[in-house]
Amino acid sequence: MILEQAILHVLPGKTNEFELAFNQAQQIISKMQGYIDHELQRCIENPDQYLLLVRWETLEAHTIGFRGSSGYLEWKELLHHFYDPFPVVEHYTKVF
């Protein structure tokens, strides 16, 4: 299992729209092969910032499977215009 992590900086004043769009987008990602689960958390100190965590069976399930799918095109359409700057996505593996 791997953990995908992204800090999402949402444009000020767009958080409600972003959350509505994410509610739709999570329906897409949750149907992808190799997807395990996800969570989206909002920052207390900076309410325009979110933490996205997605668990995948393998790195390739995310980087090839999801990103190479038509679902990813829908995901991008729903969400990418909310970000400034565009998030850096990193992958982690459990140590303990």
Side-chain angles (χ1 to χ4, degrees):
M1 187 217 50
I2 65 108
L3 178 64
E4 168 196 354
Q5 173 266 313
I7 303 285
L8 310 176
H9 298 276
V10 173
L11 295 166
K14 298 288 186 179
T15 56
N16 288 338
E17 289 176 55
F18 168 71
E19 289 181 16
L20 289 172
F22 192 89
N23 190 43
Q24 289 180 272
Q26 69 182 349
Q27 307 300 321
I28 298 166
I29 199 170
S30 64
K31 294 176 184 171
M32 292 292 124
Q33 186 169 347
Y35 163 88
I36 298 172
D37 67 5
H38 73 276
E39 56 187 89
L40 180 69
Q41 299 194 19
R42 192 172 188 179
C43 182
I44 295 169
E45 293 83 8
N46 180 359
D48 294 329
Q49 182 175 296
Y50 293 79
L51 171 64
L52 174 61
L53 300 172
V54 185
R55 288 170 187 81
W56 297 96
E57 290 176 5
T58 65
L59 178 63
E60 294 76 19
H62 176 231
T63 59
I64 297 170
F66 177 55
R67 287 189 181 161
S69 72
S70 60
Y72 182 66
L73 298 177
E74 293 178 65
W75 174 274
K76 283 175 33 174
E77 180 77 22
L78 285 167
L79 299 176
H80 285 194
H81 62 281
F82 288 108
Y83 307 140
D84 186 29
F86 195 77
V88 173
V89 176
E90 297 177 310
H91 300 91
Y92 294 83
T93 186
K94 190 172 183 176
V95 176
F96 295 103

